[in-house]
Amino acid sequence: MPLIVANYLPRLSTATLMATSLAMRVGFLLYGIYQDKYMGLPYTDIDYFVFTDAAKFVFNGQSPYARDTYRYTPLLAWLLLPTTYWFEYGKVVFVLCDLVTGYLIIKLLDKAKKNKSWSILWLWNPMVATISTRGSSESVLTIVVMLITNFTLNNQYALAGLFTGLAVHLKIYPLIYIPAILLTIDNLQPWYQPVTRARLVFVLTSALGFGVLTALMYHIYGDEFLQEAYLYHLSRLDHRHNFSVYNLTLYLSSYQGVSSLPLFQNYGIHVEKLAFVPQLGLSMVLIPLKLANIDLVSCFFVQTFAFITFNKVITSQYFIWCLCFLPIYTANSTIKPTKTVLLLATWIVTQGLWLWNAYQLEFLGKADIFTTGIWLSSCLFFVCNCVLLMAFANDLSAQKRTQLHKKKR
Amino acid sequence: MNHRTTLFVYGNEKAVFDALGGKDKIVVPASKASPLAREDRIEIDVSMLKPEYRDILGKLQLLNVQLGRKRNEKPQFTIFSDHESQPAGVRIDVAPQTARNMAQYEKMSQLAVEMVLQLIRVDQNATPYFFEEWYRAYLFEEPDLEVSALRIWNTLVGGAFPFTSAELQQATSVELILDGDKLRFLFYWPLVDHRLEFARDKREIGVFYLDSLPGDYDLSISGARVRGNSKFVPTSLYVNSFHTQLPGVSAEHTFVEPTGLHPKYKVSVSGKNEAPKSTCRLIFDLDIPSTYIVDRYQLAWFDDIFRNVSVFGRSDLELPSYKVSEGCSLRVELGPDVREFEIPLHLRYGEPLRGVKPTGLGTGDLYWDCETDPETDSLIRGSFMHENRILERTHWQMFHIGSQGPNYLEALLPVGDVRESRIVETGTLALVSVFAVWLAKLFWQI
């Protein structure tokens, strides 16, 4: 795609990109305040209330887990302590994190000698701006993930490790990046001698970053922290509707207590446990193995996309996890513009179809919509995401061939 | 055993009082044009109960069981405001007075709830929750009032049941109150439209008429009473004014349509809703069944409407209804000028038994909660009908805002269909497997 589109993409300066993005977010923030005050449907994300309530508990000397459904690291509640006095403070922090993520994307594009204007896919992306200005904390994580990417590409493995530890402490899923990073460090090392000094540094600093923070939080908040922030995610029911293809199966099996398939019943197999196999097999093993040494950022992008596609729960916020890699991936992509438009349109349409069905259920209480509405549309969305993953695989395969061709020449 | 029947004349009082009488029987006229409200109160010493229950009830000392039928229309105003504001379902409140510690208190409460549920032949599990020093369990299903009342009577008391089957079928609520060494049965008929005949026995019968609603200091109501072979004699009844219905104001309880999975419980007050005294606070109580979620944090965000929000009992914010057995109670203090408010509720995912599941909720109670001045307090305490009713703070006075329309609301909850689980699970696994293998092959070939 960039081969053609890049010619039409204006070359904007970093200052212009950052200033316009800031202006856009200020606009969104102000609109959000207006909508919250004057309209029936609130703009502010429900999770933001959870964060700010938890911050109030911390402010009053209590545990953030005193707030029901707070299932994050206490660091987040600490970070948002000033919301006790200024409610919008957290949103401003998230917007700043979202802008810093954009700046790090620009740095990566610069380093790869690509047009910085590709960063508009993040910086001018209304989905990104909406999510951070509604008070979703994903941008705190995207900064850390982009720092990991920057440090890894600059061969600063100790720093990359420390931030990887922090990222996994914040949310478990960045664990999937560890195999890809290890494969790019000393990539000429033969497979039968995997241990190198640099890899060891990365692993140890990752363990240190995660271990110190987790031990500190455990020391302060005890078992409650482990249960709410980590263990809960292994036992959660996930029965309410969401984009995931597994959703209806999980709802029905949570009622029955067992799988409806006799074979699974005989062996006591639960679908929710089985779901990890294709998800982690693809995102944590196969994709890093094949893509890490073609392009690390593209590898991260595809890994994250596969992780979300095969996850037991999917919400719109999850796509922010891979959107931060999109500008760099797109700058290198060879997918044709017409195909890109078609894929993007299909993604939007299938997601829209699911949202329409969810609206019918959630707000209108329409009957008999679970199987023919919600589940079928989540199946279509899943197929669309898989088709996108296929397109990414073919694209990276083409990029690899180009790289080999260049090397031969 | 003391049996007292209180009849309340709605209108045409002269004709009723003129016709009162009868030699062998006491006859009280009533018709569709001139109906009555009736409350029967039977008080029994715990020592007179069957021995197997004497000990248990002696240990509990405080127990209240309310059984209410669904009501489709607003009852006419009477003095029986406790019955009138009673939502449909079964409510059990227990406060075991002989428990030595909190664990024992909880355990005894659970056992008491189980005992009551067995007595009324309900095989549902209802875990009681702590509510203002009591343990409360709630079943929102409409109880089989006849069977339940007869079972309770036969099991605890035995002997002849004091009502006919036809009488019992028309009762709308039954209450069982254990208060120390006394056990009371209360039966309530809001609308009796046929003449009543009572044998001249030990029962005391009082017939009363009220031409205006009682105020703070105007607690006397004229009437006549009779017991055994004596004549009707003039008497006066003092309203137990801990609970009073506020005149000239009513509240409409509705769900905002469409309800979807997030019903909004709307209360609109019409009429002049002014605080009866300067010390009063406007309170709204709502019992939340386990099929609904009330998010105390969400309510706290509307601090311009809700001054204080309390949820009694454990209220999980995520689990489906088939994983939760206990409901909870919500109490909010409203600003004194609030005339309309909405309580955001959420429906839990229900048992996937196809289609839609009607999910009921008893209407809440909107009232002014006021401190009683010493003068009124002494009047109330000295009144004819004053009884040391449990569940009431003796130093507070409640002015209820009567509700219009039905005493329960219903939302339709769409549910999945478990019969499709095999198709769904097979389809999901096939789809995931096919694409996982396809993608694995594609990535492997890179």
Side-chain angles (χ1 to χ4, degrees), chain B residues 264-405:
Chain B
K264 284 183 182 162
Y265 186 115
K266 185 176 176 182
V267 180
S268 312
V269 179
S270 52
K272 200 175 174 186
N273 186 26
E274 280 180 1
K277 296 171 188 175
S278 60
T279 56
C280 299
R281 299 175 305 147
L282 187 58
I283 304 285
F284 181 66
D285 281 352
L286 183 65
D287 287 309
I288 312 281
S290 61
T291 42
Y292 283 81
I293 296 172
V294 63
D295 184 348
R296 72 189 81 184
Y297 304 102
Q298 190 182 5
L299 287 171
W301 306 330
F302 305 105
D303 53 2
D304 51 334
I305 300 171
F306 307 122
R307 288 182 168 178
N308 284 308
V309 178
S310 308
V311 173
F312 301 92
R314 194 168 166 270
S315 171
D316 185 278
L317 300 178
E318 292 160 316
L319 288 173
S321 63
Y322 45 88
K323 299 275 180 188
V324 177
S325 61
E326 79 190 270
C328 60
S329 287
L330 168 74
R331 170 166 293 172
V332 288
E333 183 186 341
L334 300 146
D337 303 324
V338 171
R339 301 190 59 83
E340 190 174 288
F341 61 93
E342 287 175 8
I343 307 273
L345 299 170
H346 310 276
L347 289 172
R348 292 185 192 280
Y349 261 42
E351 294 172 323
L353 301 175
R354 200 182 178 198
V356 289
K357 186 186 170 198
T359 308
L361 175 79
T363 50
D365 187 12
L366 182 65
Y367 58 94
W368 290 97
D369 187 351
C370 314
E371 284 181 29
T372 315
D373 55 87
E375 197 182 339
T376 311
D377 196 44
S378 108
L379 261 178
I380 291 166
R381 283 172 183 281
S383 68
F384 177 75
M385 273 188 77
H386 172 67
E387 285 163 33
N388 187 20
R389 289 286 310 276
I390 53 174
L391 278 176
E392 290 169 348
R393 295 180 185 175
T394 49
H395 61 290
W396 278 7
Q397 198 175 9
M398 322 286 190
F399 292 85
H400 296 269
I401 295 166
S403 65
Q404 294 172 0

Side-chain angles (χ1 to χ4, degrees), chain B residues 33 126 129 151 177 256 280 377 397:
Chain B
Y129 54 90
R151 287 266 308 164
I177 299 170
V256 176
C280 299
D377 196 44
Q397 198 175 9

Side-chain angles (χ1 to χ4, degrees), chain A residues 49 66-68 71 239 241 246 249 251 254-255 259-261 264 271 286 290 362 366-367 371 375 386 390, chain B residues 261-262 297 301 318 322-323 349-350 352 356 416 420-422 425-426 428-429 432 435 438 440 443-444 446:
Chain A
F49 290 103
R67 197 328 178 163
D68 295 320
R71 306 235 161 73
H239 64 288
H241 60 281
Y246 291 110
T249 302
Y251 168 32
S254 74
Y255 173 66
S259 164
S260 61
L261 305 177
F264 284 12
V271 179
L286 192 60
K290 303 303 284 187
E362 189 104 353
K366 193 175 172 190
T371 310
W375 181 62
C386 288
M390 287 172 185
Chain B
L261 296 182
H262 308 281
Y297 304 102
W301 306 330
E318 292 160 316
Y322 45 88
K323 299 275 180 188
Y349 261 42
V356 289
E420 291 166 350
S421 63
R422 199 170 282 188
E425 197 168 340
T426 309
T428 302
L429 288 177
V432 169
F435 278 96
W438 198 345
F443 281 110
W444 183 253
I446 293 176

Side-chain angles (χ1 to χ4, degrees), chain A residues 176-177 180 283-284 287-288 298-307:
Chain A
I176 62 171
Y177 302 137
S283 65
M284 207 168 167
I287 296 173
S298 299
C299 176
F300 283 171
F301 172 70
V302 180
Q303 271 184 286
T304 319
F305 201 90
F307 181 87

Side-chain angles (χ1 to χ4, degrees), chain A residues 145-311:
Chain A
V145 168
M146 292 318 289
L147 283 171
I148 296 168
T149 315
N150 264 290
F151 290 133
T152 307
L153 293 176
N154 291 328
N155 302 331
Q156 294 169 289
Y157 301 125
L159 284 170
L162 285 173
F163 278 93
T164 302
L166 170 63
V168 177
H169 172 81
L170 291 174
K171 270 213 164 90
I172 306 166
Y173 91 88
L175 204 68
I176 62 171
Y177 302 137
I178 292 177
I181 296 171
L182 285 171
L183 286 164
T184 57
I185 300 172
D186 297 332
N187 59 353
L188 298 175
Q189 186 74 8
W191 62 268
Y192 49 86
Q193 285 178 320
V195 180
T196 68
R197 189 175 172 276
R199 283 176 178 173
L200 212 55
V201 166
F202 174 75
V203 170
L204 289 176
T205 48
S206 296
L208 183 74
F210 176 76
V212 166
L213 285 171
T214 307
L216 179 67
M217 297 305 144
Y218 182 73
H219 174 71
I220 300 171
Y221 298 108
D223 287 341
E224 197 178 34
F225 155 67
L226 287 184
Q227 178 56 41
E228 298 295 335
Y230 299 122
L231 301 178
Y232 164 78
H233 298 284
L234 301 175
S235 62
R236 54 192 282 181
L237 274 186
D238 296 323
H239 64 288
R240 289 193 88 95
H241 60 281
N242 63 75
F243 288 113
S244 173
V245 70
Y246 291 110
N247 171 250
L248 188 55
T249 302
L250 296 183
Y251 168 32
L252 300 178
S253 68
S254 74
Y255 173 66
Q256 298 179 110
V258 286
S259 164
S260 61
L261 305 177
L263 182 71
F264 284 12
Q265 284 174 14
N266 292 343
Y267 292 98
I269 298 170
H270 292 268
V271 179
E272 54 268 39
K273 302 283 183 299
L274 208 64
F276 287 118
V277 176
Q279 184 189 29
L280 297 181
L282 281 170
S283 65
M284 207 168 167
V285 181
L286 192 60
I287 296 173
L289 202 64
K290 303 303 284 187
L291 305 187
N293 284 311
I294 298 175
D295 178 46
L296 184 66
V297 180
S298 299
C299 176
F300 283 171
F301 172 70
V302 180
Q303 271 184 286
T304 319
F305 201 90
F307 181 87
I308 297 166
T309 301
F310 285 86
N311 204 18

